[in-house]
């Protein structure tokens, strides 16, 4: 793989520049826009993805919606449009509500510069949160950790260096992690396309496995810790993450392998008691039934395509946030 540095999101000259994740890993291309609708579209089609990154991009988008003049009508329109893009990652709503609070408090004296500054602040805080999560995560590793992870939680999913991915990255640098198994993460392959790309960029030894291979590896004693990110964490610690995370956590329990979550506190939704209240996004059937436009199943086949599932807190050994490593019982 050719190694060159890459970034996820940057706000340059009052435009959002973002990597087009749909084209990764074979093509590293950036899109530059000052159009909030283009950013909303990018979130819907997963050109921008990962819970913290969605929130940051939406904050920039909402500020850009006011670049031609402040108007509470156009602000509400942009807010509603951005809020409609993806339902599960609470970071989206957290960031939008933070922007709205500022808008409402300062209106009509609010300027677009205030909004840009708040979005940059949200972005900068996420960078610092990733660093803190990585450091707190050092506590979790057994000797010679052989880690499994699911989906993508690196630089591509956040504003900084990652959540679960950064724990692994810092653990590897500290000599605590010896090998990583990356679930391919069907149907959109965030593991084989994006996590493999980021592990390669960081020279971390790894293999991609199909999502159904982890139990076989656990039985052979080849995995001794699991760590994933999160899209929404309820007050009791129940955690929504990419579809397949629940199965992974159940397998870990059966094999007595610790299962950790890493996420910033902006992923914790204190308005819900438990995971049954988390809205689960259902994606288009074509994402499962087709590959690069080629149909994989008989014409007319129906598919059930939830994008996320919920891991009950009883299966979670610890939740790493920028504050600390939280241990059960969770009470956020
Ligand atoms: O559908 P995606 O790719 O946005 O799903 C992403 C995940 O499930 C991640 O694990 C989660 O958002 C955490 S990202 C730090």
């Amino acid at each position: 793989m050719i190694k060159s540095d890459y970034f996820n999101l940057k706000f340059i000259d009052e435009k959002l520049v973002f990597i087009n994740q749909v084209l990764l890993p074979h093509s590293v291309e950036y899109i530059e826009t000052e159009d909030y609708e283009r950013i909303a579209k990018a979130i819907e089609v997963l050109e921008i993805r990962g819970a913290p990154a969605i929130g940051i991009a939406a904050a920039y988008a909402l500020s850009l919606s006011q670049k031609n003049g402040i108007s509470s009508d156009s602000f509400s329109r942009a807010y509603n449009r951005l809020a409609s893009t993806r339902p599960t990652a609470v970071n989206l709503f957290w960031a939008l509500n933070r922007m709205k609070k500022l808008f409402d408090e300062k209106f009509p004296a609010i300027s677009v510069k205030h909004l840009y500054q708040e979005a940059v602040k949200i972005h900068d805080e996420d960078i610092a949160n990733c660093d803190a999560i990585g450091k707190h995560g050092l506590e979790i590793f057994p000797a010679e950790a052989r880690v499994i992870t699911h989906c993508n939680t690196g630089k591509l999913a956040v504003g900084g260096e990652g959540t679960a991915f950064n724990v692994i990255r810092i653990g590897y640098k500290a000599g605590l992690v010896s090998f990583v198994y990356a679930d391919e993460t069907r149907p959109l392959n965030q593991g084989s396309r994006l996590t493999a790309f980021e592990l390669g960029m960081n020279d971390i030894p790894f293999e991609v496995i199909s999502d159904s291979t982890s139990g076989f590896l656990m039985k052979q004693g080849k995995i001794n810790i699991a760590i994933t990110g999160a899209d929404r964490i309820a007050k009791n610690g129940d955690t929504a993450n990419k579809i397949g995370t629940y199965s992974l956590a159940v397998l870990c329990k059966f094999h007595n392998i610790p299962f950790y979550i890493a996420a910033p506190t902006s992923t914790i939704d204190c308005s819900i008691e438990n995971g049954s209240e988390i809205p689960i996004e259902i994606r288009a059937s074509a994402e499962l039934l087709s590959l690069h436009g080629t149909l994989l199943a008989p014409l007319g086949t129906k598919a059930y395509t939830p994008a996320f599932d919920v891991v009950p807190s009883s299966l979670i050994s610890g939740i790493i946030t920028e504050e600390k490593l939280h241990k059960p019982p969770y009470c956020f």
Side-chain angles (χ1 to χ4, degrees), residues 84-236:
S84 75
T85 52
R86 297 194 75 189
T88 304
V90 78
N91 309 62
L92 172 68
F93 307 97
W94 171 86
L96 289 174
N97 288 337
R98 189 161 144 179
M99 298 298 291
K100 182 171 165 13
K101 186 164 179 279
L102 177 79
F103 187 91
D104 290 345
E105 275 169 10
K106 286 203 183 295
F107 187 83
I110 184 101
S111 75
V112 71
K113 286 264 181 302
H114 290 131
L115 295 167
Y116 290 155
Q117 276 162 10
E118 188 68 4
V120 169
K121 211 162 144 212
I122 288 173
H123 194 168
D124 286 347
E125 284 171 13
D126 191 67
I127 295 171
N129 290 343
C130 287
D131 292 345
I133 287 170
K135 283 189 199 115
H136 294 315
L138 283 172
E139 285 182 49
I140 67 171
F141 291 112
E144 295 201 13
R146 292 175 307 280
V147 186
I148 185 164
T149 191
H150 191 72
C151 199
N152 171 264
T153 59
K155 212 148 98 168
L156 295 167
V158 298
E161 290 293 332
T163 56
F165 187 92
N166 203 31
V167 172
I168 295 168
R169 191 183 72 94
I170 292 187
Y172 178 71
K173 277 191 171 175
L176 300 170
V177 171
S178 59
F179 198 79
V180 178
Y181 290 105
D183 274 349
E184 67 166 340
T185 317
R186 283 285 288 148
L188 293 178
N189 295 79
Q190 287 92 334
S192 53
R193 292 188 307 107
L194 310 177
T195 303
F197 174 81
E198 298 203 276
L199 286 165
M201 287 287 177
N202 283 276
D203 289 318
I204 300 172
F206 75 97
E207 278 171 355
V208 168
I209 56 171
S210 70
D211 296 352
S212 46
T213 300
S214 49
F216 184 57
L217 284 170
M218 288 178 192
K219 191 154 183 267
Q220 297 171 66
K222 291 193 172 156
I223 292 170
N224 56 13
I225 188 166
I227 173 162
T228 76
D231 285 84
R232 194 183 293 230
I233 301 171
K235 261 168 89 172
N236 73 343

